[in-house]
């Protein structure tokens, strides 16, 4: 008698890969913002704190607290990404280290 393992649908696999890529993107943004020394400490730490709160809400699913994860995790992850991109873009505009402009 052979053991049969449940097969994950391909769409769930793609969703899991997207979630991992988005998590890696958020972590990279948080690290890059954390390294901006000219920002006040609370603004450097804010994206990382939002990401930690989102991860804690997501981990709550393991204990059956799905309502918090459904209501809080995705908005906090999106807020982390938007805040990180905002801080990095603001830093680039302030220091002039953005992409070089081409002259026409």
């Amino acid at each position: 008698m052979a053991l049969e393992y449940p097969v994950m649908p391909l769409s769930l696999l793609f969703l899991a890969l997207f979630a991992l890529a988005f998590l890696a993107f958020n972590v990279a943004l948080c690290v890059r913002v954390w390294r901006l020394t000219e920002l006040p400490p609370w603004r450097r730490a804010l994206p990382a704190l939002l990401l930690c709160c989102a991860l804690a809400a997501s981990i709550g699913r393991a204990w059956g607290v799905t309502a918090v994860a459904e209501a809080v995790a995705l908005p906090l992850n999106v807020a982390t990404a938007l805040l990180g991109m905002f801080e990095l873009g603001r830093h680039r505009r302030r220091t002039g280290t953005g992409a070089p402009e081409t002259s026409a």
Side-chain angles (χ1 to χ4, degrees), residues 12-35:
L12 286 180
L13 181 66
F14 286 139
L15 183 64
L17 288 175
F18 174 76
L20 284 174
F22 192 67
L23 176 64
F25 174 71
N26 271 343
V27 169
L29 277 175
C30 290
V31 169
R32 290 182 71 186
V33 170
W34 189 270
R35 294 177 65 190

Side-chain angles (χ1 to χ4, degrees), residues 17-65:
L17 288 175
F18 174 76
L20 284 174
F22 192 67
L23 176 64
F25 174 71
N26 271 343
V27 169
L29 277 175
C30 290
V31 169
R32 290 182 71 186
V33 170
W34 189 270
R35 294 177 65 190
L36 297 177
T37 56
E38 66 272 358
L39 289 178
W42 68 271
R43 281 185 46 200
R44 289 172 43 196
L46 187 58
L49 291 174
L50 289 174
L51 183 61
C52 287
C53 291
L55 290 175
S58 293
I59 289 173
R61 290 177 196 246
W63 289 285
V65 186

